[in-house]
């Protein structure tokens, strides 16, 4: 079982961004993706999630061996792919609780109804874990949330949806150290032999709390270096200068 990216090419508005990217995330592993701004990290996560602005011009994304090219965003979500956005969208007029409930309802077979009591119990338990005030259940999704509150809310969605492969795009940015620890705790509680993670981050700091199995560096639409957790520490020391001489 794995999320496998094979020789992936993708463009936005005709501009090539991903240029032959290969990556395999076996279930059970956490892979961290680092690299300079503009190298294509967010593009990669959005292409995997099936964002409509990005055109795949070559290669494949395989979910447990199945090519997902033909699947729409919602179908990929139901197939088990979850993306926590770098810039989470606000959804005015839809309460957080109703949003989550609708997302879970959409995963049930036709005719089956979510048990509201079970749903609220589970949501409250996860909010407690994330130290989120219950007032966030009735507020519109992300509307007027601070940067850190949005990121926590993304993790709440992830915990409720129980995905197979989780893509976290700079979930640590905008978080103070306490919020970072809470988010990391949420992610760590979800680590399982059946679930894979791609954690995009600029900072080693997050990786102090979410220990990656592998670390990759992306540059100009490709992975240019891979290693173990120690690679993130090296990058913290020496930066991305090696990319210029490479
Ligand atoms: P990263 O997340 O590594 O900082 P991105 O994937 O956000 O990089 O961006 C990679 C490149 O693609 C950048 O040069 C960016 O300007 C460009 N890009 C991304 N999305 C769009 C878009 N919707 N329209 C035009 N250019 C885009
Ligand atoms: Mg980005």
């Amino acid at each position: 079982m794995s999320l496998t990216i094979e020789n992936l090419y993708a463009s936005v508005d005709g501009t090539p961004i991903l240029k032959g990217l290969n990556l395999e995330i076996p279930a059970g592993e956490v892979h961290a993706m680092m690299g300079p701004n503009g190298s294509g990290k967010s593009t990669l996560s959005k292409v995997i999630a099936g964002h409509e602005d990005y055109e795949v011009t070559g290669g494949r994304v395989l979910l447990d061996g199945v090519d997902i090219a033909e699947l729409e965003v919602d179908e990929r979500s139901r197939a088990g792919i979850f993306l926590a956005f770098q810039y989470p969208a606000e959804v005015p007029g839809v309460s957080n609780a109703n949003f989550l409930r609708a997302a879970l309802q959409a995963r049930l077979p036709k005719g089956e109804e979510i048990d509201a009591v079970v749903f609220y119990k589970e949501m409250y338990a996860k909010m407690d874990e994330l130290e989120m005030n219950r007032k966030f259940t009735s507020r519109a999704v992300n509307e007027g949330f601070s940067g850190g509150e949005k990121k926590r809310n993304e993790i709440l969605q992830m915990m409720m949806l129980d995905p197979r492969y989780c893509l976290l795009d700079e979930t640590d940015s905008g978080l103070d150290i306490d919020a970072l620890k809470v988010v990391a705790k949420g992610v760590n509680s979800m680590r399982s032999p059946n679930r894979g993670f791609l954690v995009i981050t600029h900072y080693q700091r997050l990786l102090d709390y979410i220990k990656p199995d592998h670390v990759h560096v992306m540059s100009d639409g490709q992975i240019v270096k891979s290693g173990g957790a120690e690679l993130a520490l090296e990058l913290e020391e020496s930066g991305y200068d090696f990319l210029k001489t490479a």
Side-chain angles (χ1 to χ4, degrees), residues 2 16 18 22 32-33 36-37 39 59 65 68-69 96 116 120 139 154 156 160-161 164 173 185 193 200 221 225 239:
S2 70
L18 301 183
N22 293 287
M33 184 69 76
N37 282 321
S39 54
I68 59 171
N96 234 350
Y120 273 98
R139 283 181 57 179
E154 295 281 289
L156 174 65
M160 290 298 289
L161 292 177
R164 296 282 324 287
S173 66
K185 193 174 86 178
I200 298 171
K225 197 167 180 155

Side-chain angles (χ1 to χ4, degrees), residues 42 86 169-170:
S42 293
Q86 182 170 5
D169 192 0
E170 295 200 24

Side-chain angles (χ1 to χ4, degrees), residues 2-239:
S2 70
L3 179 65
T4 305
I5 293 129
E6 283 180 0
N7 201 24
L8 189 65
Y9 287 77
S11 298
V12 64
D13 291 335
T15 306
I17 311 286
L18 301 183
K19 301 171 183 173
L21 190 136
N22 293 287
L23 177 65
E24 183 174 3
I25 303 173
E29 293 189 359
V30 174
H31 288 235
M33 184 69 76
M34 305 182 84
N37 282 321
S39 54
K41 303 181 298 296
S42 293
T43 300
L44 172 64
S45 64
K46 289 188 213 171
V47 168
I48 296 171
H51 195 295
E52 60 185 7
D53 288 353
Y54 300 83
E55 189 195 356
V56 173
T57 54
R60 303 192 297 172
V61 178
L62 304 170
L63 180 71
D64 296 336
V66 178
D67 190 336
I68 59 171
E70 297 305 320
L71 300 187
E72 300 291 340
V73 174
D74 58 319
E75 293 168 322
R76 291 182 196 209
S77 169
R78 285 193 298 261
I81 290 177
F82 177 85
L83 169 57
F85 287 98
Q86 182 170 5
Y87 303 107
E90 301 189 358
V91 189
V94 181
S95 77
N96 234 350
N98 283 341
F99 180 83
L100 285 172
R101 195 169 160 170
L104 287 169
Q105 180 69 51
R107 285 164 164 69
L108 294 181
K110 231 181 152 77
E112 218 172 284
E113 277 289 324
I114 277 191
D115 182 326
V117 175
V118 173
F119 167 75
Y120 273 98
K121 201 173 154 209
E122 199 181 319
M123 185 175 62
Y124 287 146
K126 301 210 150 131
M127 290 179 81
D128 288 349
E129 215 175 315
L130 292 170
E131 297 172 25
M132 276 176 85
N133 190 298
R134 294 203 178 164
K135 71 180 187 213
F136 286 105
T137 46
S138 56
R139 283 181 57 179
V141 179
N142 288 331
E143 197 176 36
F145 287 26
S146 73
E149 288 164 353
K150 284 182 182 171
K151 299 293 166 117
R152 259 185 229 225
N153 205 35
E154 295 281 289
I155 299 301
L156 174 65
Q157 288 172 15
M158 177 173 89
M159 292 171 86
M160 290 298 289
L161 292 177
D162 199 22
R164 296 282 324 287
Y165 295 97
C166 305
L167 317 169
L168 306 179
D169 192 0
E170 295 200 24
T171 299
D172 50 335
S173 66
L175 295 183
D176 61 40
I177 193 75
D178 292 331
L180 184 78
K181 284 184 191 167
V182 168
V183 162
K185 193 174 86 178
V187 170
N188 286 329
S189 75
M190 290 185 68
R191 285 180 87 149
S192 125
N194 299 317
R195 181 152 32 228
F197 289 86
L198 179 64
V199 177
I200 298 171
T201 181
H202 267 301
Y203 303 106
Q204 156 61 29
R205 196 178 73 146
L206 177 70
L207 306 179
D208 285 338
Y209 301 103
I210 302 173
K211 290 263 169 271
D213 298 293
H214 297 275
V215 174
H216 310 280
V217 180
M218 196 163 163
S219 174
D220 194 20
Q222 292 184 325
I223 290 174
V224 292
K225 197 167 180 155
S226 295
E230 75 290 343
L231 177 56
L233 291 166
E234 285 169 39
L235 293 167
E236 183 95 330
E237 284 286 305
S238 54

